[in-house]
Amino acid sequence: KADDVPSLITLDASTAKTRDGRPVSEGRDNAKLLLDSQTWLDIPLDRSLTVRVKKLRVSQQSGATVWVGEVQPSAAGRRTVGPGRDLSHDFAADPKNLAILVAHDEHVTGSVIVDGDSYEILPLKNGRVAVSREQDIEIPDAPLLDTGKAREVPAIARSADAAQQPIRVLTVYS
């Protein structure tokens, strides 16, 4: 159910602070939500903006959990798809609506991009986080091809006795 989506961050009721001249919202994180079994998350980015994110993939790297999801479009731009259809395997992730979250030692850090506007989540002390909008950055449009699949490119053998082997190339936009 849509109402049962947990929130990754609980923002403080106090007014927003500033850091480096940028407004910052502070709150408590729940790093335990960044699991492979967690398909949906709500992420409050400031008092007026909470986004819903659908998991694309989760991986474990060097003791950290990396949770990647797609920020869902607003009601005005919502895609109409049949119930139960999983879009994460059919379309390439939109780099202008993407969340990349990392949980390590029960702290959360990461970036959330909403319609091309980037927000940064930084860990503070005692399980707290700061969320701020980053300065304007240029994000490329979504590629026409699905970048989730690596392309095979033939390699040139360097020695006479080595056979040609394909090299898998993965293109990543950031």
Side-chain angles (χ1 to χ4, degrees), residues 5 38-43 51-56 67-72 97-101 112:
V5 175
Q38 190 64 50
T39 305
W40 295 94
L41 282 175
D42 279 347
I43 305 173
V51 294
R52 181 150 297 166
V53 181
K54 182 178 184 194
K55 176 191 74 173
L56 295 175
W67 195 96
V68 179
E70 183 178 27
V71 174
Q72 298 303 293
N97 288 292
L98 188 66
I100 301 172
L101 306 165
V112 179

Side-chain angles (χ1 to χ4, degrees), residues 135-152:
Q135 294 178 354
D136 294 335
I137 57 174
E138 185 66 31
I139 299 172
D141 288 328
L144 296 176
L145 300 174
D146 185 352
T147 57
K149 297 179 180 147
R151 298 186 308 253
E152 287 193 11

Side-chain angles (χ1 to χ4, degrees), residues 44-81:
L45 300 173
D46 63 35
R47 297 252 167 262
S48 63
L49 178 62
T50 296
V51 294
R52 181 150 297 166
V53 181
K54 182 178 184 194
K55 176 191 74 173
L56 295 175
R57 67 186 65 73
V58 175
S59 62
Q60 297 289 324
Q61 298 175 9
S62 302
T65 301
V66 179
W67 195 96
V68 179
E70 183 178 27
V71 174
Q72 298 303 293
S74 64
R78 195 170 306 271
R79 290 180 237 176
T80 48
V81 177

Side-chain angles (χ1 to χ4, degrees), residues 84-99:
R85 176 124 188 243
D86 183 0
L87 297 178
S88 65
H89 302 293
D90 296 338
F91 300 100
D94 178 2
K96 292 188 177 187
N97 288 292
L98 188 66

Side-chain angles (χ1 to χ4, degrees), residues 147 170-174:
T147 57
L170 176 63
T171 306
V172 179
Y173 293 94
S174 64

Side-chain angles (χ1 to χ4, degrees), residues 86-156:
D86 183 0
L87 297 178
S88 65
H89 302 293
D90 296 338
F91 300 100
D94 178 2
K96 292 188 177 187
N97 288 292
L98 188 66
I100 301 172
L101 306 165
V102 178
H104 188 266
D105 294 332
E106 296 193 22
H107 296 287
V108 173
T109 187
S111 294
V112 179
I113 303 169
V114 182
D115 295 328
D117 295 330
S118 182
Y119 293 82
E120 183 177 36
I121 301 172
L122 296 172
L124 301 173
K125 294 180 182 178
N126 301 325
R128 298 182 55 72
V129 291
V131 182
S132 66
R133 185 171 184 263
E134 293 186 55
Q135 294 178 354
D136 294 335
I137 57 174
E138 185 66 31
I139 299 172
D141 288 328
L144 296 176
L145 300 174
D146 185 352
T147 57
K149 297 179 180 147
R151 298 186 308 253
E152 287 193 11
V153 179
I156 299 173

